[in-house]
Amino acid sequence: MTEGVYVLPDALAARTRRPIKAVVLAGGKGTRLAPYTSVLPKPLMPIGDRSILELVIGQLRDCGITDVTLSVGYLAHLIEAVLDNRPDDGVDLTYVHEEEALGTAAPLRLVDGLDSTFITMNGDVLTTLDYTSLIRHHRRNRNILTIATRVRPVQIDYGVLHLGSNGRGNRVEAYIEKPKMNSTVSMGIYVLEPRALSFIPPEGYFDFPDLVQVLLKADERVGAYRYDGMWFDIGRRDDYERAVSAWTDENEADEPASQVATGSA
């Protein structure tokens, strides 16, 4: 009986909720991934036989999200050419164009119809995260903004000194060579309520870290969704190369053994 009390409201709410919309940010220049990105926008970098952006759209579709808006800028014509010529996958794509660099939050000003819970994400994120679970977590916690997070090790390429205190600041008490530290970082994937848009200034450059700071200052509810599965932020060349290798290995592991053997022959 207790279980029914909680399940029934969730089921009723699901029937009346509007379909989730997604905004994918694909307007950046990707300068850290040069020289690749001098001729190809970062979201079109290939992973296997498809681009990152095609994989992202396919994953959103698999979670039931078929209303997707892309915010484009740099080499937008290439992105539109690739996506507009893809096989029919049931996803309704629209585009908004950044005439100047706006950051990661300000482009939401350009998108119409964000009048219910929606998801927004960077167009260069490769992950196996289940967006349905992320959205469910967001709603159950009644957040205005939920940030998908991942623990990521950060390698410090220097010897780190622990210095003394209490008047002995010049005395070395410990020395650690190139330590690795774990930090909880944003995955570049967010779920928002429409009310969060009112905290974005009407003009100018504005990033998601800026939006988070404004919401926290206003004592709004900002939550985190912790994820420990595959995630790559394709920001640098070594990140991209690791992502290609990991994604290929993951998909080969999911194939029947005979197909893997045939493909590697």
Side-chain angles (χ1 to χ4, degrees):
M1 179 64 70
T2 303
E3 181 180 358
V5 171
Y6 289 95
V7 172
L8 183 58
D10 282 351
L12 291 175
R15 292 181 184 178
T16 59
R17 285 173 181 152
R18 301 179 188 179
I20 292 289
K21 296 184 178 183
V23 180
V24 180
L25 306 171
K29 291 186 176 181
T31 53
R32 291 183 299 163
L33 205 55
Y36 299 137
T37 49
S38 61
V39 294
L40 197 66
K42 184 165 57 170
L44 290 187
M45 293 292 292
I47 304 289
D49 59 357
R50 289 190 291 172
S51 68
I52 300 170
L53 200 48
E54 288 174 288
L55 291 172
V56 167
I57 292 170
Q59 290 172 323
L60 290 170
R61 178 205 59 215
D62 292 344
C63 290
I65 301 172
T66 58
D67 186 345
V68 179
T69 298
L70 280 88
S71 180
V72 295
Y74 177 67
L75 297 178
H77 64 287
L78 294 180
I79 292 176
E80 294 182 41
V82 169
L83 296 182
D84 289 347
N85 287 283
R86 76 194 191 284
D88 184 12
D89 56 5
V91 177
D92 182 18
L93 281 184
T94 57
Y95 301 92
V96 295
H97 292 79
E98 300 179 41
E99 301 301 327
E100 59 181 353
L102 294 176
T104 50
L108 297 177
R109 295 192 302 249
L110 307 176
V111 182
D112 294 328
L114 298 179
D115 50 7
S116 60
T117 305
F118 66 96
I119 188 169
T120 185
M121 61 183 296
N122 297 336
D124 58 356
V125 171
L126 189 65
T127 181
T128 51
L129 180 143
D130 182 349
Y131 300 108
T132 304
S133 296
L134 169 62
I135 294 163
R136 186 183 303 118
H137 174 88
H138 167 84
R139 283 172 163 162
R140 286 182 174 174
N141 286 276
R142 300 180 181 179
N143 297 328
I144 189 173
L145 167 65
T146 299
I147 307 168
T149 65
R150 180 74 161 80
V151 173
R152 178 162 183 168
V154 178
Q155 180 73 55
I156 298 178
D157 294 328
Y158 303 94
V160 174
L161 305 180
H162 289 217
L163 302 181
S165 56
N166 298 325
R168 297 188 299 169
N170 292 326
R171 179 174 294 182
V172 176
E173 295 187 346
Y175 182 97
I176 304 175
E177 176 65 11
K178 298 181 179 179
K180 183 178 290 186
M181 304 171 61
N182 288 330
S183 298
T184 300
V185 301
S186 168
M187 293 174 61
I189 303 171
Y190 313 88
V191 182
L192 298 92
E193 292 303 310
R195 194 165 56 83
L197 299 174
S198 65
F199 291 87
I200 299 176
E203 296 181 352
Y205 190 98
F206 200 69
D207 268 328
F208 258 97
D210 302 319
L211 177 58
V212 171
Q213 294 292 349
V214 170
L215 290 173
L216 292 176
K217 187 174 181 179
D219 202 27
E220 294 286 348
R221 196 179 188 96
V222 178
Y225 178 80
R226 300 187 182 191
Y227 180 67
D228 60 3
M230 180 185 290
W231 170 69
F232 290 96
D233 179 5
I234 316 294
R236 298 170 299 178
R237 181 170 178 171
D238 55 345
D239 295 327
Y240 171 67
E241 292 172 349
R242 284 198 300 269
V244 170
S245 177
W247 192 263
T248 300
D249 292 345
E250 177 84 6
N251 283 273
E252 286 182 352
D254 290 339
E255 294 178 2
S258 59
Q259 292 184 20
V260 175
T262 301
S264 62

